[in-house]
Amino acid sequence: MTHTSPQPDSPAPERFPVVVLGAGPAGLTVANALRAASVDCLVLETESRQFVEQRPRAGVLEEPVVRGLERRGLAGNLLRRAGRHTACEFRFDGAAHRLAYADLTGRHHFVYPQPLLVTDLIREYADVRGGTLRFEVRDVALHDTDTDHPSVSYVCPETGRRRLVHCDFVAGCDGARGVSRSVLTARHARIARHDYGIGWLALLAETPPSADCVLFGVHPGGFAGQMPRSPEVTRFYLQCPPGDDPENWPHERVWSELRRRLAAAGTPPLAEGKLLEKRVLDMHDYVVEPMAAGRLFLAGDAAHLTAPIAAKGMNLALHDAFLLGDALVAYLTAGDDSGLAGYSAACLRRVWDYQEFSQWLSDVYHGASSGDPYRAGTTLARLRRLFASPAAASAFVEQYLGTADHYGDPAGVRPAGSGGRARLSRARAGR
Ligand SMILES: Cc1cc2nc3c(=O)[nH]c(=O)nc-3n(C[C@H](O)[C@H](O)[C@H](O)COP(=O)(O)OP(=O)(O)OC[C@H]3O[C@@H](n4cnc5c(N)ncnc54)[C@H](O)[C@@H]3O)c2cc1C
């Protein structure tokens, strides 16, 4: 919500150059970039530190994203501990078809569970770089983001009183359920939505993966996927009706469906284990365009949701955060507003490309179970082409790994001091 006249009941408003909403991968990466350049910022998070450090979600990271984290001094643990994936495997028609993408490209994926990355980023920001982070804040509201004196207010968990923070910029990194998106879409941006009309039962199981890579099971009974997370924990997905009740999926049914849909001649049986998480995701996407207005800049799931079809959500969040962090630093330390001016357009080029890829891959995953023999036939043709045509395989791998060079450098911003200074010239660090 935007209120033009906040009415805090707290006596002393604070001031930070940047307020970051959300301690997820996007917000924490922006905040770390700011602190590395000695720009003060305040991160506000509605959940507790323990909760965000344990929330299981993504795990597959593109190599360019890992290099982007490394350049910013944020990949130490990741590079020591992450698994490397060099292939993925499609299972269809009762056979396993391995796509060894590292052999084709020399590139690979990293596997590092999101809670570990978030834990690393919080520690670096708060404990090493001395950044300010407040957890469990309530009722966050944005004010005057169309002006050059925006502010954010929130209810303090300790006192129950509303606090006001003046700032130069707000980074809206508060995910799919945050408040910043609605400020943009109310007046400045349109939101484009896509509903796949299917559900995925997302499962986390206490069991080692049954293969050394991601498995995609394309089966007339519905899609199934296996995504290794660690030697002890594996994520699985099962296509289900949208809005299905997870209680319809007891242990026995889950494992018999996974075995059926991932079956392929000559492959080892799935290792069963205790189900640690079981929830239904209704598969949908959205894109907010543009991703910024006035002094409010969105990043990550706040700006665009990508159903976990192609494992792109966290990667996109980090690509955005690299651009936004660098652009804010360039402006606040050297008055260069070129990064901020081009931020939304630069992010959206990659966002729309990944949306298109997810849609393409969704057709591949779900065509066989659509009940439509025409869709089932074209799905099978796409799959066979991947393994018969090196050109088709290369095109797939480029998008799957996020390695196309037409997006440009994730740093994306010219060196501080090299660009325009005009439009935002009243806001500078420490003003
Ligand atoms: C089951 C599942 C599996 C996934 N698998 C993958 C995968 O393999 N690969 C991949 O790339 N992506 C995957 N994703 C997507 C990925 O997890 C998200 O895209 C990623 O977390 C986005 O990061 P973010 O920082 O934008 O948002 P978030 O991680 O959602 O962080 C936003 C933060 O803002 C906080 N917040 C909310 N409201 C407010 C408020 N009003 N004020 C302040 N803070 C607020 C939230 O508590 C949260 O901590 C998966 C998602 C799910 C659900």
Side-chain angles (χ1 to χ4, degrees):
M1 292 286 285
T2 296
H3 308 282
T4 43
S5 38
Q7 295 188 324
D9 53 12
S10 155
E14 294 177 282
R15 171 159 189 80
F16 286 84
V18 182
V19 175
V20 176
L21 302 183
L28 292 165
T29 302
V30 170
N32 268 298
L34 291 165
R35 286 304 304 142
S38 302
V39 176
D40 273 343
C41 80
L42 169 66
V43 178
L44 296 175
E45 165 61 52
T46 47
E47 301 288 354
S48 67
R49 180 168 182 168
Q50 189 188 26
F51 181 87
V52 298
E53 289 184 347
Q54 291 179 359
R55 182 170 43 197
R57 280 187 175 177
V60 177
L61 284 168
E62 298 170 350
E63 202 177 320
V65 161
V66 172
R67 298 300 162 218
L69 289 168
E70 189 181 13
R71 277 202 293 278
R72 290 160 179 83
L74 300 172
N77 282 341
L78 190 163
L79 289 169
R80 272 192 299 280
R81 296 163 64 183
R84 268 76 167 164
H85 277 189
T86 58
C88 60
E89 191 171 297
F90 285 88
R91 293 186 172 180
F92 58 95
D93 272 354
H97 305 262
R98 190 175 171 91
L99 191 56
Y101 46 74
D103 291 350
L104 280 174
T105 63
R107 313 292 288 268
H108 54 80
H109 263 151
F110 288 81
V111 180
Y112 194 59
Q114 184 167 337
L116 294 186
L117 180 66
V118 166
T119 302
D120 293 347
L121 293 174
I122 291 177
R123 186 172 305 130
E124 182 67 26
Y125 171 71
D127 304 340
V128 179
R129 302 188 185 183
T132 311
L133 208 163
R134 294 186 190 141
F135 290 101
E136 299 184 73
V137 302
R138 300 199 308 270
D139 197 15
V140 176
L142 280 62
H143 315 279
D144 303 319
T145 54
D146 289 347
T147 72
D148 62 3
H149 47 81
S151 59
V152 174
S153 69
Y154 65 95
V155 172
C156 173
E158 290 84 21
T159 62
R161 300 173 76 188
R162 183 162 286 278
R163 302 207 59 177
L164 178 65
V165 187
H166 293 293
C167 56
D168 297 319
F169 293 96
V170 180
C173 308
D174 48 350
R177 296 196 173 82
V179 292
S180 55
R181 182 171 63 256
S182 59
V183 173
L184 268 199
T185 54
R187 272 188 298 155
H188 301 286
R190 66 167 193 180
I191 184 159
R193 297 180 189 278
H194 178 66
D195 188 345
Y196 292 93
I198 53 163
W200 274 13
L201 182 69
L203 303 151
L204 211 54
E206 205 170 52
T207 181
S210 304
D212 64 347
C213 66
V214 169
L215 303 181
F216 304 119
V218 178
H219 191 274
F223 170 77
Q226 178 200 258
M227 283 81 190
R229 287 290 187 258
S230 73
E232 301 84 28
V233 174
T234 305
R235 186 172 278 297
F236 293 95
Y237 292 111
L238 278 169
Q239 183 184 344
C240 65
D244 203 358
D245 184 345
E247 292 311 308
N248 292 335
W249 292 88
H251 184 95
E252 281 313 317
R253 185 180 178 205
V254 163
W255 288 105
S256 81
E257 274 305 298
L258 285 171
R259 278 195 299 271
R260 186 167 81 97
R261 298 185 196 180
L262 288 169
T267 58
L270 284 191
E272 276 189 32
K274 185 177 159 195
L275 296 174
L276 305 171
E277 186 196 60
K278 190 168 65 171
R279 62 194 179 111
V280 170
L281 307 174
D282 288 339
M283 304 300 271
H284 69 283
D285 304 324
Y286 60 74
V287 180
V288 174
E289 201 168 14
M291 288 167 51
R295 295 300 177 94
L296 172 61
F297 291 77
L298 303 188
D301 281 10
H304 40 73
L305 194 76
T306 316
I309 289 169
K312 292 298 191 188
M314 181 161 69
N315 289 293
L316 276 179
L318 290 164
H319 283 297
D320 291 354
F322 297 151
L323 288 173
L324 183 54
D326 291 351
L328 286 169
V329 168
Y331 179 69
L332 288 165
T333 60
D336 177 358
D337 77 349
S338 57
L340 289 176
Y343 169 73
S344 174
C347 293
L348 286 166
R349 271 194 293 280
R350 186 185 292 269
V351 168
W352 278 115
D353 218 26
Y354 283 21
Q355 292 285 343
E356 189 280 333
F357 181 57
S358 294
Q359 208 177 23
W360 182 92
L361 204 51
S362 171
D363 285 346
V364 171
Y365 290 166
H366 306 117
S369 56
S370 64
D372 174 349
Y374 186 85
R375 275 188 67 193
T378 54
T379 296
L380 203 55
R382 279 188 190 177
L383 280 168
R384 288 192 180 124
R385 196 185 307 134
L386 269 188
F387 295 93
S389 156
S394 293
F396 169 82
V397 167
E398 183 181 78
Q399 287 197 290
Y400 186 59
L401 296 182
T403 49
D405 53 17
H406 57 83
Y407 305 120
D409 174 11
V413 176
R414 280 177 283 168
S418 67
R421 292 170 180 271
R423 265 159 298 172
L424 294 161
S425 59
R426 291 184 58 200
R428 299 289 294 274
R431 188 181 62 168

